[in-house]
Amino acid sequence: MSMITITIDGQKIETQEGEFILNAARANSIFIPAICYLTRCSPTLACRICLVEADGKQVYACNAKAKAGMEITTSTDTIEQERRSIMEVYDVNHPLQCGVCDQSGECELQNYTLELGVDSQSYAIKDVERAAIDWGHIHYDPGLCIVCERCVTVCKDMIGDTSLKTVPRGSDPLDASYKESMPKDAYAMWNKLNKSVIGLTSGEAMLDCTSCGECAAVCPVGALVDTEFMYKSNAWELRQIPATCGHCSAGCQISYDVKHESIENSREKIYRVMNEWNYVSLCGAGRYGFDYENRDVNKDEAAFTKALEAFQKADTIRFTSTITNEEAFMLQRLKEERGYRLINHEARTFQNFLREYSAISGTALYGSDLKETHDANFVVSVGTALKSDNPNARYAFNNSMKMNKGAGLYFHPVPDPVIEGLGKNVMSINHAPLQEEVVLYLILDLFADKEQLPEAITTYLERFHGTKTVTVTETIKEEVVESVAKIVVDEESGEEKEIVEEVKKTVSKKVEKEVEVQSNALLEMLGAPENFNDALSKYLKKADTFSLIIGPDCYTHPNAKNIARLCALIEKYSAFKLVMIPTLTNTLGVSLICDLDEEAGSYAIGYNAPGDFTLSALGEGDLDMPALNQQEGTLTSINKRVNPTNAALDYEGYELNDLCNALGLESELTVDYTQRLPIEKGFQAQKFDDLPNHYTNEGVEVRGYLLENRGVKTDNDERVDAINTDLALKEGSIVYLVNPVRQFTAFTNKTEQLHTDGGLYMSETYLNESDFNEGDTVTVSTSLGELTVTIISDNKIDGAIACLPTFDNNINSEALFSAYRFTSASIKKV
Amino acid sequence: MSMEQFQDRNVGKQNYFTVDIEDYPVTGMDKFRRVAKRTFRGELFVGLWVVLREMFKFDIHTVQYPKEKLPIGPRYRAIHQMQRLWESGTERCIGCGLCEKICISDCIRMDTRIDENSRKEVTEYSINLGRCIFCGYCAEVCPELAIVHGGEYENASEQRAHFTLYEDMLTPVDEAISGKQKEFPGFGAITPYEDERVKKTPLAY
């Protein structure tokens, strides 16, 4: 791709060759009206309003690609006529209920109707009954719908659920005279619009998707609305607080929309979460899990004094990674000043993994980010339940399939219908647990540059290659000669006589043949499907940008050290760009900032974690702390970006900074620590107030700053261990430690819309093939402990692995697992 | 977006300054001197003389309020009333929130929700009469002619809030149904000849 110059309305602009004209114009602040187009998704061509003239020809700006020297006019008389007619058509039978519509003025139909000066209506058609439908968490009013199909597009191209489609409207055909009298594009657009409304792909009455709510966010009118938000507030009353989502490591930019709670109660409350949907897509937890603030907290001096006493007594601080960088830095300072041990196992495993990775890669951090996954056309995911661990990584995975005609491999023991449903070019390989090492060796084998790769590894990989004889059935064409008896009448004598003729014929015949083929023992170890090689060679035909997503299963693997080194080798010797999913919100930040200890001491302070004295943002501890939506600070995301977040709601109680000040660290505000974050780890000495948090028209992320990926000294030792074939889980049922979609931690579970009871999640297949039924109470026991839970049927997983969640504080599921996320257990009915 | 509001953490530390006024008398002597000065100035008698002079003219135009009351002009803006629809008696207010938005003294607030029939319902409506400046914007902006200014200007009370209870502002249902509800030609009413000015959507069928 090279930079070219095009001219739009006489203005010369630089853009990438092949970029859509609309995007090029937007990047340079030139206005072209467009309704149905979504950046990062494929052009829908539903609204046709983005008509422009390029080199004298009318094209749609959203799907016409820029070519060098192109002359573009955004407005001519015919185009203006088309646009005006299109807007008139959109206004046909649109209810005049703007006063009660939840879009409350943030309406693109309103805006464009005014922009194009539509003050009279020339078209009419009999309306059909279009009653509002409740789809569960989304409410659809077809009466308001302009069928721009943005919801359909985003669901397919970005989210990957493909839950929405257009369905017949059942209206009368358009008046025949319009075909002559109307502008051409307006007529074509109306003709299509008149035949469709939005419906569910499944044909069911309720939406059964991963419930991200992105469809309602992108809706230009008030047709799709979050059911919970309906008629609660007008958009203009809400104050938008720019923030960063605190639920997972994706660090999505969001804005909390706050307003007073009611007439009686003027305390502020979050009503909804909004996002810049052109550039960032949220998951259901980010969108609906916003009210996890620690409410009604006052400065409890007695508890504060006790906390200080506890800090005097304590020798350990145990904490989770759902904290800001500043808080992590405070804990680290406390360690330096007062010698506490810092315990955070999940961040420590990630820290160790990164360290091992650095030993070969020579960089402190993985080289890639999700942006590059979006742009890749061959994506491999290893060791992560993609849709639960980091929904944005899944969106990137899906987006690269849809937009770049890419392909993907999903290596995971739990079959995932959501991932499998992303498209034909996704192959899911459900290997046995503990085989992540094999997967990485396979990737090395398939993709690494064998000439460069250390010889020991090449020889090691060679051992898996062999030939095997397989029986293939072939269809061959054979010529056969058949004798056919025929009765012929002799013309002269008139006698009938039988003659035998020989006829040549070709017939197809199936034969079984034994052939020798190349075999790869690694594939067999993983239980890859038979057609793996064929499919892969098909996938790779057009693949030129590769992305590898590594997940938490790898960090907790007993051979994590070796896996980390293999990851580094893959990054070094193949075209793959590597991105790792940090386990929790700020695991990456914590692992960079804190020196974590392995062994806890005798008396521990727990911060959002169990301890002898607990500080809790959930409001369950001995001293209350502010939740992430009540704090300002920075969070480090998977994209290695330090994102600022602002406090959406008031917090009256004590915070960690107060404790630190009382313990001898001097800082007036928590955010004073932002500029003191360790520069040697890649942070920058930037003041919190100087950190931006927005996207430009071009789609460039201007948020906080990127961590510097600093070089690390290596000893050039690139040896890796052979696959440990002895590793296997004990006999018994396999249980996986993973949350269902829309849940991450106890914080998501605290919110009103997401609150639910956890349980043992089993797929429908599992339930059908076993004696268990949904709702049964069972005990799950491993060598480490026992747990009584209720079975929940989950149609978002498949196969015979049960899943235990971590979001429900009533289920201490982590106690059953040593470290690795899979364990063998016995499940018995109570 | 301006981030200024998020960067001002100076809560409770604003720079207040005291108004420069003459000091209050402190000592007993100073106080006495002030009383004497005010008493013997004779300003009181100036006022008394004006009253006495007018009293003997026997030409009084004073309206004998509260026995007598002047009629109020239709555009007078007194305490708000909430109207109902004729015949059905349904509340006219649709909860669009425009009055709340336009209110320049920020004294209107409303709570809305979705009701059982999937319609927007106003659950609470309040006008803070302590802040209301009776500008009439709310009535003017109301798309449904739901909020109007009535003629009730006598709002001396222990609690002015009593005048703006939503139930009290609403026309009683029976009054609306029986057609006794008064339509106000003043603020908020549609202008004459509105019918001719509105362009209709063609209904070809």
Side-chain angles (χ1 to χ4, degrees):
Chain A
M1 292 282 176
S2 54
M3 293 302 275
I4 51 162
T5 311
I6 58 171
T7 318
I8 304 182
D9 289 343
Q11 190 182 333
K12 280 203 179 336
I13 61 167
E14 289 240 314
T15 185
Q16 292 268 342
E17 189 178 354
E19 177 68 288
F20 294 131
I21 295 172
L22 182 62
N23 284 338
R26 284 182 175 177
N28 290 280
S29 304
I30 298 170
F31 175 68
I32 297 175
I35 298 180
C36 70
Y37 180 70
L38 287 167
T39 318
R40 307 192 299 169
C41 292
S42 50
T44 318
L45 287 189
C47 75
R48 296 171 184 245
I49 204 169
C50 65
L51 268 180
V52 292
E53 207 176 85
D55 294 337
K57 228 174 81 186
Q58 275 191 16
V59 293
Y60 305 109
C62 70
N63 87 331
K65 289 178 176 170
K67 288 188 207 109
M70 217 176 211
E71 294 270 345
I72 295 151
T73 322
T74 59
S75 168
T76 65
D77 281 350
T78 40
I79 287 175
E80 282 307 311
Q81 264 175 24
E82 288 275 12
R83 286 184 185 155
R84 153 112 200 188
S85 292
I86 288 170
M87 284 325 293
E88 274 186 40
V89 166
Y90 274 137
D91 289 332
V92 170
N93 292 338
H94 193 91
L96 292 172
Q97 295 173 350
C98 302
V100 289
C101 176
D102 263 318
Q103 205 68 8
S104 53
E106 290 184 338
C107 173
E108 286 175 44
L109 181 66
Q110 249 180 32
N111 289 353
Y112 283 120
T113 301
L114 294 172
E115 172 76 28
L116 299 172
V118 177
D119 55 358
S120 62
Q121 176 62 275
S122 335
Y123 314 115
I125 189 168
K126 186 178 159 194
D127 205 356
V128 285
E129 188 177 341
R130 291 178 281 163
I133 317 167
D134 186 18
W135 283 338
H137 69 290
I138 298 287
H139 186 273
Y140 177 55
D141 189 342
L144 300 174
C145 182
I146 59 169
V147 205
C148 65
E149 297 176 39
R150 261 191 348 208
C151 48
V152 179
T153 309
V154 80
C155 194
K156 178 166 143 269
D157 288 350
M158 184 54 63
I159 309 302
D161 279 351
T162 324
S163 296
L164 301 173
K165 62 169 185 181
T166 51
V167 294
R169 177 187 293 236
S171 80
D172 295 346
L174 300 182
D175 194 314
S177 66
Y178 286 137
K179 190 161 191 184
E180 300 303 313
S181 63
M182 278 179 81
K184 203 174 97 278
D185 277 294
Y187 177 79
M189 169 253 151
W190 192 11
N191 207 7
K192 194 173 160 214
L193 166 77
N194 190 42
K195 286 176 185 149
S196 45
V197 284
I198 305 298
L200 301 184
T201 318
S202 62
E204 307 272 323
M206 288 289 168
L207 257 179
D208 182 21
C209 56
T210 47
S211 310
C212 62
E214 202 64 14
C215 48
V218 299
C219 187
V221 292
L224 286 167
V225 183
D226 295 330
T227 311
E228 273 295 311
F229 180 71
M230 266 204 95
Y231 296 155
K232 285 265 176 70
S233 174
N234 283 316
W236 62 70
E237 294 172 75
L238 299 165
R239 202 158 55 90
Q240 302 208 305
I241 315 285
T244 299
C245 178
H247 288 314
C248 84
S249 51
C252 300
Q253 194 225 25
I254 56 172
S255 85
Y256 291 112
D257 284 14
V258 300
K259 189 183 97 165
H260 58 83
E261 207 169 309
S262 65
I263 290 176
E264 261 105 72
N265 190 352
S266 57
R267 191 179 56 180
E268 294 211 311
K269 166 184 154 180
I270 301 174
Y271 277 76
R272 65 170 174 186
V273 161
M274 296 287 274
N275 60 325
E276 289 267 13
W277 35 258
N278 265 320
Y279 312 120
V280 58
S281 302
L282 301 187
C283 69
R287 187 168 303 282
Y288 301 116
F290 47 75
D291 49 339
Y292 57 91
E293 69 275 6
N294 200 359
R295 293 176 198 102
D296 301 321
V297 176
N298 289 310
K299 285 200 157 60
D300 181 351
E301 282 179 34
F304 189 71
T305 325
K306 272 192 200 146
L308 286 180
E309 281 165 18
F311 266 98
Q312 303 294 355
K313 225 189 314 178
D315 55 0
T316 304
I317 300 174
R318 188 178 285 127
F319 64 104
T320 66
S321 300
T322 46
I323 58 172
T324 61
N325 289 325
E326 286 73 14
E327 287 180 297
F329 185 68
M330 279 186 237
L331 295 177
Q332 173 63 17
R333 290 280 298 127
L334 284 178
K335 175 181 177 147
E336 285 160 15
E337 296 287 318
R338 305 177 64 92
Y340 297 117
R341 297 184 205 179
L342 297 182
I343 304 293
N344 181 342
H345 288 305
E346 146 269 317
R348 192 179 148 81
T349 29
F350 187 63
Q351 200 173 43
N352 290 341
F353 193 83
L354 272 182
R355 190 180 308 124
E356 293 302 334
Y357 160 83
S358 307
I360 289 186
S361 74
T363 51
L365 298 167
Y366 46 89
S368 180
D369 55 25
L370 289 184
K371 175 93 183 51
E372 289 192 308
T373 310
H374 272 282
D375 297 338
N377 54 17
F378 189 79
V379 187
V380 177
S381 147
V382 184
T384 170
L386 210 50
K387 71 172 191 301
S388 305
D389 290 344
N390 191 317
N392 244 277
R394 166 193 151 207
Y395 299 162
F397 189 96
N398 172 57
N399 196 229
S400 76
M401 307 292 115
K402 302 284 163 64
M403 295 306 293
N404 312 333
K405 295 193 179 69
L409 300 178
Y410 179 72
F411 290 95
H412 200 261
V414 184
D416 190 329
V418 175
I419 301 290
E420 279 160 25
L422 293 185
K424 279 186 209 143
N425 287 349
V426 179
M427 195 196 282
S428 171
I429 296 115
N430 308 118
H431 56 80
L434 288 167
Q435 300 297 309
E436 285 81 3
E437 240 176 332
V438 183
V439 176
L440 294 176
Y441 266 117
L442 177 71
I443 296 173
L444 266 183
D445 186 32
L446 294 172
F447 299 99
D449 184 354
K450 294 279 170 52
E451 319 245 299
Q452 305 282 322
L453 205 63
E455 213 186 313
I457 302 173
T458 327
T459 356
Y460 177 67
L461 287 172
E462 213 48 60
R463 281 172 41 191
F464 297 102
H465 288 266
T467 51
K468 59 176 179 181
T469 23
V470 285
T471 323
V472 287
T473 324
E474 263 188 0
T475 315
I476 50 163
K477 285 194 174 149
E478 215 176 29
E479 246 180 27
V480 281
V481 183
E482 274 179 17
S483 313
V484 183
K486 249 189 195 171
I487 297 169
V488 214
V489 183
D490 193 342
E491 278 174 28
E492 284 170 25
S493 61
E495 275 174 31
E496 288 190 2
K497 95 180 161 182
E498 201 181 81
I499 54 161
V500 178
E501 263 184 14
E502 288 199 335
V503 189
K504 275 189 183 173
K505 243 182 164 180
T506 17
V507 287
S508 324
K509 199 169 150 193
K510 280 189 178 167
V511 284
E512 294 203 333
K513 209 164 93 178
E514 302 219 316
V515 278
E516 286 227 318
V517 289
Q518 295 261 319
S519 76
N520 193 337
L522 293 168
L523 284 174
E524 278 149 36
M525 288 163 86
L526 294 172
E530 294 265 311
N531 63 344
F532 181 88
N533 280 323
D534 297 341
L536 187 68
S537 57
K538 203 177 81 198
Y539 293 166
L540 289 176
K541 259 180 200 156
K542 282 180 194 153
D544 53 9
T545 38
F546 299 82
S547 175
L548 173 65
I549 305 172
I550 295 289
D553 299 3
C554 297
Y555 323 146
T556 53
H557 193 279
N559 280 355
K561 185 176 163 186
N562 202 36
I563 289 182
R565 294 172 71 84
L566 284 168
C567 289
L569 285 175
I570 291 174
E571 197 183 28
K572 194 164 177 183
Y573 293 111
S574 76
F576 272 101
K577 291 181 174 162
L578 179 72
V579 57
M580 296 179 192
I581 298 179
T583 326
L584 284 175
T585 313
N586 202 14
T587 303
L588 180 57
V590 169
S591 65
L592 289 175
I593 295 165
C594 298
D595 294 332
L596 299 165
D597 296 277
E598 181 66 47
E599 290 291 320
S602 56
Y603 189 92
I605 305 265
Y607 183 14
N608 291 334
D612 299 302
F613 185 93
T614 50
L615 315 173
S616 169
L618 286 164
E620 295 163 344
D622 300 315
L623 182 69
D624 283 304
M625 286 283 125
L628 278 179
N629 57 6
Q630 295 168 303
Q631 287 196 57
E632 38 184 17
T634 56
L635 297 165
T636 314
S637 78
I638 182 172
N639 294 337
K640 298 174 288 182
R641 196 175 270 282
V642 180
N643 295 316
T645 186
N646 287 298
L649 298 171
D650 286 350
Y651 176 76
E652 302 281 327
Y654 289 106
E655 45 186 296
L656 191 64
N657 191 35
D658 297 323
L659 281 168
C660 290
N661 283 343
L663 290 168
L665 304 182
E666 290 290 315
S667 170
E668 194 192 337
L669 300 167
T670 303
V671 289
D672 290 343
Y673 285 107
T674 311
Q675 48 195 320
R676 290 162 61 187
L677 293 173
I679 294 171
E680 69 280 5
K681 295 287 169 65
F683 288 94
Q684 292 178 15
Q686 284 210 44
K687 277 190 187 159
F688 177 79
D689 287 350
D690 296 342
L691 297 178
N693 194 7
H694 65 268
Y695 286 87
T696 64
N697 274 351
E698 230 167 323
V700 177
E701 196 174 3
V702 191
R703 301 178 59 205
Y705 57 84
L706 280 173
L707 284 176
E708 192 195 337
N709 197 355
R710 298 176 82 97
V712 175
K713 258 197 185 156
T714 60
D715 48 8
N716 288 328
D717 173 15
E718 295 189 346
R719 277 176 299 171
V720 278
D721 295 341
I723 297 168
N724 185 348
T725 42
D726 299 337
L727 280 180
L729 292 180
K730 273 184 284 171
E731 285 289 304
S733 313
I734 302 172
V735 181
Y736 183 44
L737 190 66
V738 71
N739 287 311
V741 275
R742 304 217 290 177
Q743 293 289 1
F744 289 104
T745 54
F747 289 106
T748 46
N749 196 30
K750 193 186 175 185
T751 61
E752 196 188 322
Q753 291 186 59
L754 303 184
H755 180 74
T756 176
D757 286 327
L760 184 68
Y761 296 87
M762 286 185 176
S763 69
E764 283 163 1
T765 339
Y766 194 164
L767 288 173
N768 288 338
E769 284 169 6
S770 66
D771 304 334
F772 300 118
N773 292 309
E774 181 163 24
D776 285 353
T777 311
V778 290
T779 53
V780 184
S781 50
T782 69
S783 53
L784 295 169
E786 196 178 81
L787 192 65
T788 311
V789 281
T790 314
I791 292 179
I792 297 171
S793 166
D794 185 353
N795 63 359
K796 299 280 181 290
I797 51 173
D798 205 351
I801 294 180
C803 297
L804 270 177
T806 60
F807 71 86
D808 191 344
N809 275 355
N810 298 325
I811 301 174
N812 187 12
S813 48
E814 270 143 331
L816 300 190
F817 294 80
S818 55
Y820 190 53
R821 288 170 80 192
F822 290 92
T823 186
S824 70
S826 77
I827 305 172
K828 286 198 190 81
K829 274 197 203 181
V830 179
Chain B
M1 173 172 187
S2 164
M3 299 291 286
E4 214 171 296
Q5 51 171 326
F6 301 107
Q7 293 166 8
D8 180 17
R9 302 186 185 81
N10 197 18
V11 181
K13 291 176 205 161
Q14 291 90 343
N15 293 323
Y16 291 114
F17 62 91
T18 35
V19 182
D20 187 21
I21 51 164
E22 204 185 325
D23 289 341
Y24 287 102
V26 186
T27 62
M29 196 55 203
D30 285 349
K31 280 180 186 169
F32 175 74
R33 216 171 269 149
R34 194 173 69 169
V35 170
K37 206 165 94 187
R38 285 179 178 178
T39 311
F40 297 109
R41 261 233 181 125
E43 275 170 350
L44 176 68
F45 297 102
V46 178
L48 281 178
W49 164 243
V50 173
V51 176
L52 201 71
R53 190 185 64 200
E54 294 303 312
M55 208 171 89
F56 288 110
K57 277 186 180 168
F58 296 106
D59 185 20
I60 303 169
H61 294 284
T62 313
V63 176
Q64 296 299 309
Y65 182 84
K67 277 191 231 154
E68 247 184 304
K69 284 177 193 172
L70 285 177
I72 296 285
R75 297 183 71 81
Y76 190 80
R77 305 188 296 264
I79 290 178
H80 314 74
Q81 289 193 356
M82 301 294 281
Q83 305 279 80
R84 285 182 186 270
L85 288 174
W86 297 97
E87 295 172 359
S88 73
T90 326
E91 292 163 29
R92 282 189 193 176
C93 178
I94 54 168
C96 70
L98 286 179
C99 48
E100 190 180 5
K101 173 71 181 164
I102 205 164
C103 180
I104 53 171
S105 52
D106 201 9
C107 65
I108 300 180
R109 266 191 184 180
M110 60 168 72
D111 291 346
T112 52
R113 62 164 202 135
I114 182 166
D115 75 0
E116 292 69 35
N117 306 319
S118 291
R119 294 176 73 94
K120 194 171 187 175
E121 187 197 34
V122 181
T123 50
E124 284 290 334
Y125 191 95
S126 101
I127 301 175
N128 181 351
L129 280 194
R131 297 180 71 153
C132 180
I133 59 162
F134 298 95
C135 64
Y137 282 4
C138 52
E140 200 163 7
V141 79
C142 182
E144 301 288 318
L145 306 185
I147 187 166
V148 293
H149 279 291
E152 177 64 50
Y153 54 84
E154 293 163 310
N155 48 359
S157 163
E158 286 171 359
Q159 274 288 333
R160 267 183 291 196
H162 293 163
F163 294 103
T164 47
L165 293 177
Y166 187 45
E167 309 84 70
D168 292 350
M169 285 195 288
L170 264 173
T171 319
V173 183
D174 47 340
E175 216 171 279
I177 293 173
S178 59
K180 282 181 201 150
Q181 178 174 265
K182 203 172 153 198
E183 284 295 329
F184 290 85
F187 259 72
I190 46 172
T191 48
Y193 317 114
E194 200 66 68
D195 279 356
E196 286 96 276
R197 289 174 51 208
V198 171
K199 282 192 185 169
K200 287 179 188 163
T201 310
L203 294 172
Y205 46 90

